[in-house]
Amino acid sequence: MAGIVVVFDFDKTIVDCDSDNWVVDELGFTDLFNQLLPTMPWNTLMDRMMMELHSNGKSMEEIEEVLKRIPLHHRVVPAIKAAHALGCDLRVVSDANLFFIETILKHLGIREYFSEINTNPGYVNEEGRLRILPYHDFNKSPHGCSLCPPNMCKGVIIDRIQESISSKESKRFIYLGDGSGDYCPSLRLKERDFLMPRKNFPLWDLICKDPLLVKAEIHEWSDGEDLERILLQLIHKISMEEEESSQQFITSDCKLQILSVPSAHNEALPKALSVQQ
C-alpha cells in the first residue's frame, strides 16, 4: 500500500541477534569488549573495537564474511519482500551502523527494498579500517532526549519522517522493534498507526509498565513467523479500511452529484445572471 510506511529496527528484529556483538564475538574479541564496556558509550566503544580488530590484523573481508552468516529467521526476508510488493514504503531506523546493515541487506538481496536507512555512519577510512560514528554528534549538538542513548534518538528520526510526509498523503505507520531505544519512537506514533514490539524484549517490558502511553494499536510478535503473519495482516487491514473509506467517499460524492442534477419533471434551473463589469 502506497499509504503505509513500515519502519524496521534492525538488530533482533530483521536479524535475530545484535550485529555489534555478533562481529565482536565471532572474531574472538569478547573479553576486550567486556573490559572496555564500562568505560565508554556503546557507539564509541564499537568504533574503538573496530580499531582493535584492525590493529590485530582482522581485514574488512573477514568482517564482511562474519556479517554474511549472521543468524536470522527464514520468514523475515519473505515478509519484507511481500510488504514491498504490496507497495509499502520500507525504512530502517537502527542503532547499529550503515556498513553492517548495508552489507547484510545486500547479501540477502533486499537492500533496494528500503527507501532509506537511518543509522550510525559506518565507513572504511584510508587506513582500511572501519570507522563507526554517532548519528547525533552529542559533543556538539546533543539531542536532549532522556529516553535515548547520546548517539541516537529514534524519536527525532520518526518526527522527521512524519514531518516529511504531506498532510494530504495521510500515511499510516507500522513500527517494528525490540529494544529500549525503540520506546521513544513508539511514543511518537499516532492513533491510526500500529506498533509491533517483540514480546518479552526491552521494548515490550517498557510498554507493559503503562500501555496507555502508546497511542498506536499494539500487536506483539515473538519470532519471524509471527512477524510475517502479523505484518501482512496489518497491511491487509489498512488496505481494507482505506478501500471502505474510499467507497464511502465515492458514494457520498455520487449522492451530492444526484442532488445537484435537476429532475426531468422539474423546471430547468434559471440561467446565471451576467454581471456587468
Side-chain angles (χ1 to χ4, degrees), residues 11-12 26 45 57 64 87 95 103 106 111 134-135 143 149 159-160 164 173 175 179 238 242 246 248 260 264-266:
D11 292 334
K12 299 179 184 175
E26 288 293 300
L45 173 57
E64 288 178 12
D95 198 6
T103 298
K106 286 176 182 176
R111 170 60 186 93
Y135 182 85
H143 54 67
D159 284 345
R160 177 190 59 76
S164 70
F173 282 71
Y175 188 103
I238 295 172
E242 290 190 354
S246 176
Q248 289 174 359
S260 66
H265 300 289
N266 294 337

Side-chain angles (χ1 to χ4, degrees), residues 20-57:
D20 291 342
N21 286 132
W22 174 257
V23 169
V24 169
D25 293 344
E26 288 293 300
L27 292 175
F29 283 74
T30 307
D31 289 343
L32 178 59
F33 179 87
N34 290 336
Q35 290 172 22
L36 295 174
L37 182 57
T39 68
M40 62 188 79
W42 185 284
N43 178 254
T44 307
L45 173 57
M46 281 308 299
D47 185 54
R48 169 69 182 274
M49 291 308 301
M50 294 305 104
M51 183 189 76
E52 295 291 342
L53 292 179
H54 182 74
S55 299
N56 283 272

